[in-house]
Amino acid sequence: MRSGSASSARPRAITVALAGNPNVGKSTLFNALTGKKQHTGNWTGKTVEAASGSVRNMPVRLVDLPGTYSLHARSPEEEEARAFLESGAADAVIAVCDATNPERSLILALQLLETCPGRVVICVNLLDEARRHGITVDTDVLEKRLGAPVIGTDAAHKKGLDALCAAVLRIADPPSADPQAVISPSEEAVKEAPAEMADFDKQAEWASRAEAIASAAVQKTGAGRRLDAHLDAIITHPLLSVPLMLLLLAGILWLTIVGSNYPSALLTRFFEWLEAMLLSGAAAIGVPAILTDALIGGAAHTLFTVIAVMLPPMAIFFPLFGAMEDFGLLGRIAFNLDGAFSRCRTCGKQALTMCMGLGCNAAGVIGCRIIDSPREQRIAMLTNSFMPCNGRWPILIVMSGLLFGRSGTLSALTLTGALSLGVGMTLLVSRILSATLLRGVPSSFTLELPPYRVPRIGVLIVRSLAERTLFVLARAAAVAAPAGLLIWALGAAAPGGISLLVRMKAALDPIGRAIGLDGAILSAFLLGFPAAETVLPILFAIYTASGSPGGAEAIFSANGWNTLTALNTLLLCIFHFPCSTTLISIKKESGRLSDAVLAAVIPTLIGILLTSLTTAVWRLFT
Amino acid sequence: MIIISCLSDLLPGEAAVVERILPGALLGRRLAELGLTGGTRVKCELAAPSRGPKAYRIRGALIALRLADARTVIVRRCPAASHYPPPS
């Protein structure tokens, strides 16, 4: 460490910048070195915020720069990275290269060597993937040609990290100011270019240097790529692609529905027991009944219902989705669907945000950050709620049971049908928005299709659970308890002997009947604004308060339900305003209140339109 | 056989060498960063259904480009017998 006066100086922290292309495992390396759990999807290529952390409790601050292809382009990420590096704030730079694609990732490394001479350590990551694809990299040759230390790593399995740390520390703080401590580059590494060379040609020069160096240091057997090529040929096949994707979707839905049945039932029973305990405990210590009713019967009950309904499907859906992401399928899906989406003036990545919306619309909205064009990002956010989130699935499943009979398979099929409707409407509305409010032409975009990777199951589960599931659950809890309190209050407050809830139902009844529903259903959807999972419980509460106990079917038929009611409830469930959390996310992501308003109005109008249509047709034939 | 054509015209399996990128191309810079510069060998590997993007092997990476963008890259086709990557 740099020493000042022995007694009062504290060792100065070393700052190390982590730079590299997207998709080279930079985040994995960052997490491995700092112990953090940061995550970016491997198909997005976008780290949204630069993060920093300390390495292994040493006074070394590692700054994770956004993934970039070049230091000299116009995008904000690249500007940010270059500004940081040129400021001299970094004592050392780790240039992360991809062993499975050295030529391309070396281009940035060469730029870094030029921008920060003498301070760069080249890290060749993904050695395991490279080996799997029959590629071997000779780090000694690279070291000679580049004139900088080259360390091979496999961040996913934590290999090579010690050597990397040692090399970085040596560069950041050489043991002596001895110039011989720095490796002297070979002749080819030092090339002079005329200062006025246009950026474009400079880029070409770096590219050809990278190619030359890579061809000297890299051996490819080409064996591993054949499996990838076969998989790709099948997945993007003109005839097979759509059926395969539908099958994949239906499969994930089926797994989620069937897999969460038992855990949800268990959780429900557990919470019933818990509620009973809380109630009797509160009574035992003399808590006034109104308080226990409100807090336990109202707030806690709603909270428990939301958790029991929401947690199991999310705990299955998000890991499945994450597995597809890790594996590399999502990029191929975006690739397949881009044709259709670009004809609607948006892009294939929207399909991926829609998939995320299936888990949770708020997560889907945030996921729209992967879309480069701001206009297309807004369109994706505004239409995300056409994909019913996990919280809405129970409604769809119950309606499916009413319409078609109860069965896991039929439910999955109905859900797939509902989703297809949602997808069709998304394309249509995106096209209309592109022609009207959010006018524009299709953007240019590039999408890298990385080699298929074996998903790392352990990391995946932890990441899905910690990040997505718990995050969503936390916000649901924050919203569900107060919502439950409010609903209890509406039910309990009974001026003139009739509860506010019943009054609300009565007030909305005329409108409801006009579109083939009733006031209770409309009230339930309105009161379910904070959390979609509460709609069914509220509906049952309204019906049973007016006196009709029994199972779901009994309650519905006792309240005058018929096929039209079930169908229209299904339609309204898909097409109505998104939940409060989603709207807040939209406002935050786009910065415009008007977008949040649009996001609420558009689906609701469509829902009313569709239900009016079915009602009219129904009335015509009965 | 047409020798000079645009990148978007390559069919899966066809290889070519980049001649130039037309000026004014929106993606010009981005393509250069991805390694698509004069003299680079590229191979079309996949074509998405429904006139969607095509995926090209560029310097070892598989990159998908929309046809409208790939049209701005002029290439010289390699004769059918050639083999990419070149045997070393």
Side-chain angles (χ1 to χ4, degrees), chain A residues 276-291:
Chain A
M277 303 267 22
L278 286 174
L279 279 171
S280 59
I285 60 175
V287 181
I290 190 165
L291 222 66

Side-chain angles (χ1 to χ4, degrees), chain A residues 440-520:
Chain A
V441 289
S443 64
S444 297
F445 95 142
T446 62
L447 179 68
E448 183 173 350
L449 300 177
Y452 288 104
R453 294 181 187 163
V454 175
R456 290 162 295 140
I457 305 293
V459 176
L460 187 67
I461 303 226
V462 169
R463 197 178 71 208
S464 295
L465 283 181
E467 284 200 357
R468 290 174 178 156
T469 309
L470 285 183
F471 153 76
V472 175
L473 205 60
R475 71 91 188 160
V479 152
L485 202 55
L486 174 67
I487 292 160
W488 171 85
L490 285 176
I498 306 178
S499 80
L500 289 175
L501 205 57
V502 172
R503 280 183 197 275
M504 186 178 184
K505 165 191 178 213
L508 290 172
D509 225 39
I511 308 175
R513 302 230 172 253
I515 54 176
L517 301 167
D518 70 15

Side-chain angles (χ1 to χ4, degrees), chain A residues 69-70 72-74 78 101 103-104 199 203 207 211 225 232 236 241 335-336 338-339 342-343 346-347 443-449, chain B residues 21 26-35 37 46-55 57 59-66 69:
Chain A
Y69 288 111
S70 152
H72 297 269
R74 288 160 306 176
E78 276 135 352
N101 183 9
E103 304 116 86
R104 224 265 315 279
D199 256 348
Q203 204 71 45
E211 189 175 6
R225 221 172 247 155
D232 273 341
T236 62
S241 58
F335 178 71
N336 279 347
D338 188 63
S342 67
R343 274 199 286 282
T346 63
C347 85
S443 64
S444 297
F445 95 142
T446 62
L447 179 68
E448 183 173 350
L449 300 177
Chain B
I21 300 183
L26 277 169
L27 271 189
R29 214 162 201 174
R30 167 64 89 213
L31 293 177
E33 291 155 21
L34 290 173
T37 55
L46 300 169
S50 163
R51 277 177 292 136
K54 287 186 178 169
R57 183 74 54 187
R59 296 185 186 275
L62 193 57
I63 311 278
L65 294 174
R66 283 183 172 166
D69 300 320

Side-chain angles (χ1 to χ4, degrees), chain A residues 327-614:
Chain A
F327 183 53
L329 269 182
L330 293 193
R332 272 77 181 173
I333 294 178
F335 178 71
N336 279 347
L337 296 174
D338 188 63
F341 277 90
S342 67
R343 274 199 286 282
C344 298
R345 310 272 190 274
T346 63
C347 85
K349 289 184 181 176
Q350 186 172 351
L352 304 171
T353 63
M354 288 159 69
C355 288
M356 289 214 61
L358 279 183
C360 166
N361 289 124
V365 161
I366 296 178
C368 291
R369 290 177 187 174
I370 60 167
I371 299 178
D372 309 291
S373 148
R375 180 189 71 91
E376 293 175 357
Q377 182 185 357
R378 287 173 67 196
I379 294 182
M381 291 198 288
L382 290 180
T383 55
N384 194 268
S385 74
F386 294 153
M387 292 287 104
C389 62
N390 274 164
R392 290 190 259 166
W393 291 14
I395 307 174
L396 297 176
I397 292 171
V398 169
M399 294 306 124
S400 158
L402 289 178
L403 288 170
F404 304 120
R406 273 200 238 181
S407 116
T409 316
L410 281 175
S411 298
L413 283 177
T414 311
L415 215 51
T416 313
L419 290 185
S420 311
L421 184 59
V423 169
M425 193 61 73
T426 305
L427 290 170
L428 182 63
V429 172
S430 299
R431 181 68 184 84
I432 295 176
L433 283 174
S434 291
T436 55
L437 295 169
L438 285 162
R439 217 179 308 227
V441 289
S443 64
S444 297
F445 95 142
T446 62
L447 179 68
E448 183 173 350
L449 300 177
Y452 288 104
R453 294 181 187 163
V454 175
R456 290 162 295 140
I457 305 293
V459 176
L460 187 67
I461 303 226
V462 169
R463 197 178 71 208
S464 295
L465 283 181
E467 284 200 357
R468 290 174 178 156
T469 309
L470 285 183
F471 153 76
V472 175
L473 205 60
R475 71 91 188 160
V479 152
L485 202 55
L486 174 67
I487 292 160
W488 171 85
L490 285 176
I498 306 178
S499 80
L500 289 175
L501 205 57
V502 172
R503 280 183 197 275
M504 186 178 184
K505 165 191 178 213
L508 290 172
D509 225 39
I511 308 175
R513 302 230 172 253
I515 54 176
L517 301 167
D518 70 15
I521 301 173
L522 289 187
S523 305
F525 275 113
L526 280 171
L527 292 171
F529 174 61
E533 301 80 2
T534 57
V535 171
L536 266 186
I538 296 175
L539 189 57
F540 287 138
I542 299 180
Y543 281 149
T544 53
S546 340
S548 32
E553 273 112 22
I555 297 181
F556 287 136
S557 47
N559 281 279
W561 273 50
N562 55 21
T563 311
L564 180 69
T565 325
L567 178 64
N568 280 1
T569 306
L570 188 113
L571 287 174
L572 198 63
C573 174
I574 305 173
F575 300 111
H576 76 288
F577 44 83
C579 70
S580 57
T581 316
T582 305
L583 287 180
I584 293 175
S585 303
I586 294 178
K587 160 79 171 51
K588 258 202 245 171
E589 292 290 305
S590 88
R592 293 169 215 244
L593 184 62
S594 55
D595 276 357
V597 170
L598 271 177
V601 166
I602 295 176
T604 313
L605 281 181
I606 294 179
I608 296 178
L609 206 71
L610 286 177
T611 50
S612 307
L613 213 68
T614 52

Side-chain angles (χ1 to χ4, degrees), chain B residues 35-58:
Chain B
L36 204 63
T37 55
T40 312
R41 300 183 77 121
V42 295
K43 182 180 179 198
C44 177
E45 295 214 348
L46 300 169
S50 163
R51 277 177 292 136
K54 287 186 178 169
Y56 302 92
R57 183 74 54 187
I58 301 172

